[in-house]
């Protein structure tokens, strides 16, 4: 099938590449010329395991190409995926300006029947908005259909998640569009949820809101564990065996970040507000997430007493492991709060350094965890990269001013750290000092 993907970020690039790998003729389009030039040379603009090999293979076999000319992409395809960003406005609502711009461009360049699929995360009723924009701007009387096909991939496992999703959601009101979408997805084995456009749009926001709430729930429980002397890891394990609960997303830490949960939770609160519903549960989810970062900073201040001029080593900057994505990463807030009190920050991340350098000021970026540890008063673990789980902890101890780790991701066992001679503070578990 001839398909185009407009917006080749984390979602668009994975979508375009996987559809090419499945044998379709795919064009990926993006207004960012730098990104497109890199992609056409086989250079990845983002870090995503397995992506580079797949892009290179499909470029070589000419199933995949990239352009910064949306018109070319629109004319090429029968199915057009909109995968542009949907960032938050200052008040938390979704800013749909990129989706609107692409809808207008599609209308103006439409040369035959098109299925316009919004894959970006958008508020319920965006499908109707896109339909209106296309109808108003289309030059000739050309037929088109709107489909909502939300994306559920996780950065770090984007290719696997696109190839083997838990489900495929297709929201449409046209039989023809549903049949074409089913054919497009026929090689991917996953339950198909065929529904109306509004329900499809809501499935995405409801799913992200539920997952974020699960994280905030265990973070709230971690507070009680910390205060009572219980261990949140054991509590999560004991809860997780219950098939109605499941262990995933019950990891206590410094809260969720990234391009999806923070903005999608705020957006869902605003969507509810628009319909006159006060989504109190989600407000609590958000507040607990904010508190979790503040509580972590309190722990740092409590143990260091005065943080002015202290050297604080930070391990992990990306919002989660296996990605270079720094958008809404908790590390940004935590580092800036510590800098307000004149702490000296040294930091390392296996993949996110390039992006972090564009965001964080006055940070000494190091080449590995050992350079961070050298002469540090404390090490903070902010992302649970495997590299940190496998560090030579004895070497780390020998390099630090004092052996003190504050672990925002619970990657070590407190007893092991005690045995290694560390003071070790983590989330919802007994401090070892
Ligand atoms: P991204 O910022 O990485 O990519 C968006 C791309 O769209 C950028 O490369 C940008 O240059 C391009 N773009 C903007 N306007 C354009 C235009 N007019 N024409 C062509 N290209 C244009 O964003 P992302 O992380 O891929 O997210 C995209 C959407 O998918 C968002 O709605 C997001 O909420 C949703 N989503 C993201 C993830 C994730 O893990 N990142 C997962 C599921 C859903």
């Amino acid at each position: 099938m001839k398909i185009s993907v407009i917006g080749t970020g984390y979602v668009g690039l994975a979508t375009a590449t996987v559809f090419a790998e499945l044998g379709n003729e795919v064009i990926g389009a993006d207004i960012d010329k730098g990104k497109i030039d890199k992609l056409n040379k086989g250079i990845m603009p983002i870090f995503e395991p397995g992506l580079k090999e797949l892009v290179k293979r499909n470029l070589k076999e000419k199933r995949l190409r990239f352009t910064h000319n949306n018109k070319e992409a629109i004319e090429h395809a029968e199915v057009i995926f909109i995968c542009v960003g949907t960032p938050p406005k200052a008040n938390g609502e979704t800013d749909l300006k990129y989706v609107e711009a692409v809808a207008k461009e599609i209308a103006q360049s439409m040369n035959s029947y098109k299925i316009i699929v919004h894959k970006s995360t958008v508020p319920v009723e965006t499908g109707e908005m896109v339909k209106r924009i296309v109808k108003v701007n289309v030059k000739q009387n050309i037929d088109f259909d709107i489909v909502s096909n939300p994306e559920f991939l996780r950065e770090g496992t984007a290719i696997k998640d696109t190839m083997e999703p838990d489900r495929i959601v297709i929201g449409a009101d046209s039989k023809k569009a549903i049949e074409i979408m089913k054919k497009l997805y026929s090689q991917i084995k996953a339950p198909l949820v065929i529904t109306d456009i509004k329900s499809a749009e809501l499935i995405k926001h409801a799913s992200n809101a539920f997952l974020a709430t699960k994280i905030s729930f265990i973070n709230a429980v971690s507070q009680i564990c910390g205060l009572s002397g219980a261990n949140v890891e054991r509590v999560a394990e004991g809860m997780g065996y219950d098939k109605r609960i499941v262990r995933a997303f019950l990891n206590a830490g410094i809260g969720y970040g990234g391009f999806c949960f923070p903005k999608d939770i705020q957006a869902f609160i605003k969507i509810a507000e628009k319909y006159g519903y006060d989504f109190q549960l989600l407000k609590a989810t958000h507040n607990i997430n904010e508190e979790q970062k503040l509580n972590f900073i309190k722990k740092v201040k409590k143990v260091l007493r005065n943080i002015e001029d202290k050297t604080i080593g930070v391990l992990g900057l990306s919002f989660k492991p296996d990605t270079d994505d720094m958008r809404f990463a908790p590390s940004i807030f935590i580092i800036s709060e510590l800098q307000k009190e004149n702490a000296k920050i040294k930091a390392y991340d296996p993949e996110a350094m390039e992006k972090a350098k564009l965001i964080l000021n006055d940070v000494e970026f190091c080449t590995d965890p050992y350079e961070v540890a050298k002469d540090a008063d404390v090490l903070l673990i902010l992302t649970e990269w495997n590299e940190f789980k496998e560090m030579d902890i004895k070497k780390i101890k020998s390099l630090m001013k004092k052996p003190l780790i504050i672990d925002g991701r619970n990657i070590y066992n407190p007893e092991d750290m005690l045995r290694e001679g560390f003071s070790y503070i983590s989330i919802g578990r007994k401090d070892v000092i």
Side-chain angles (χ1 to χ4, degrees), residues 10 45-47 324-326 352-359:
Y10 289 87
I46 53 167
F47 170 75
D324 60 348
D325 200 346
M326 283 295 295
M353 302 277 270
E354 220 174 284
K355 290 195 170 136
K357 283 176 189 170
L358 302 173
I359 300 170

Side-chain angles (χ1 to χ4, degrees), residues 25 51 69 106 112 169 176 254 274 283 295 347 349:
E25 257 182 73
L51 180 68
N69 180 352
I106 293 175
S112 57
V169 175
K176 181 177 174 185
I254 48 174
K274 197 182 114 195
K283 288 179 179 168
N295 285 328
D349 186 283

Side-chain angles (χ1 to χ4, degrees), residues 4-9 12 27-31 69-71 73-74 80-85 98 102 105-106 120:
S4 285
V5 175
I6 303 193
T8 55
I27 296 187
D30 204 291
I31 39 166
N69 180 352
N70 284 353
K71 188 170 188 287
I74 293 160
I80 303 168
F81 286 89
I82 303 178
C83 296
V84 296
Y98 302 118
V102 172
E105 269 192 88
I106 293 175
S120 300

Side-chain angles (χ1 to χ4, degrees), residues 123-140:
V124 58
E125 295 199 55
T126 298
E128 285 178 12
M129 180 201 83
V130 171
K131 196 175 193 170
R132 259 194 320 274
I133 295 176
V134 177
K135 267 197 176 148
V136 169
N137 290 284
V138 71
K139 284 181 192 148
Q140 312 154 46

Side-chain angles (χ1 to χ4, degrees), residues 190-402:
L192 265 182
V193 181
I194 310 268
T195 181
D196 58 283
I197 297 174
K198 290 182 197 170
S199 302
E201 290 165 338
L202 270 175
I203 287 169
K204 176 63 190 178
H205 267 128
S207 300
N208 273 5
F210 190 83
L211 291 171
T213 301
K214 214 174 162 189
I215 295 173
S216 280
F217 183 85
I218 199 67
N219 277 335
V221 171
S222 80
Q223 295 298 328
I224 313 294
C225 289
L227 294 167
S228 65
N231 181 329
V232 73
E233 300 287 313
R234 298 282 79 79
V235 174
E237 183 191 354
M239 290 170 68
Y241 285 119
D242 189 321
K243 290 188 183 67
R244 297 164 303 176
I245 298 175
V246 183
R247 176 67 178 79
F249 278 73
L250 289 179
N251 295 319
I254 48 174
Y256 55 76
F259 190 49
C260 291
F261 288 173
K263 80 169 168 61
D264 292 351
I265 275 47
Q266 289 301 326
F268 207 14
I269 292 170
K270 285 285 170 189
I271 292 165
E273 221 171 271
K274 197 182 114 195
Y275 292 100
Y277 178 70
D278 181 10
F279 212 145
Q280 293 179 54
L281 178 64
L282 282 193
K283 288 179 179 168
T285 295
H286 167 75
N287 290 339
I288 291 166
N289 199 57
E290 294 307 293
E291 269 171 27
Q292 208 64 11
K293 286 179 271 190
L294 292 171
N295 285 328
F296 185 77
I297 293 165
K298 268 190 209 155
K299 280 178 193 275
V300 179
K301 287 186 181 170
K302 190 173 164 202
V303 69
L304 289 182
R305 289 193 193 94
N306 177 14
I307 64 171
E308 186 164 0
D309 297 328
K310 291 269 166 50
T311 301
I312 299 184
V314 173
L315 296 181
L317 297 167
S318 59
F319 82 95
K320 68 170 188 175
D322 296 323
T323 180
D324 60 348
D325 200 346
M326 283 295 295
R327 292 177 291 184
F328 301 97
S331 65
I332 301 170
F333 177 75
I334 291 170
I335 289 174
S336 79
E337 286 300 299
L338 297 172
Q339 284 177 327
K340 276 184 197 161
E341 303 201 16
N342 294 325
K344 186 174 166 253
I345 308 286
K346 296 171 83 179
Y348 167 75
D349 186 283
E351 293 294 339
M353 302 277 270
E354 220 174 284
K355 290 195 170 136
K357 283 176 189 170
L358 302 173
I359 300 170
L360 302 169
N361 296 318
D362 299 322
V363 170
E364 182 188 335
F365 290 99
C366 301
T367 51
D368 59 40
Y370 306 103
E371 201 184 325
V372 176
K374 194 166 182 314
D375 297 326
D377 291 285
V378 60
L379 273 188
L380 310 183
I381 296 172
L382 302 189
T383 317
E384 64 276 37
W385 284 93
N386 277 340
E387 186 175 336
F388 305 146
K389 295 179 187 167
E390 291 156 8
M391 291 187 307
D392 179 345
I393 209 75
K394 288 188 172 48
K395 188 170 167 189
I396 292 282
K397 186 181 168 205
S398 72
L399 290 165
M400 294 183 71
K401 255 189 219 157
K402 275 180 271 166

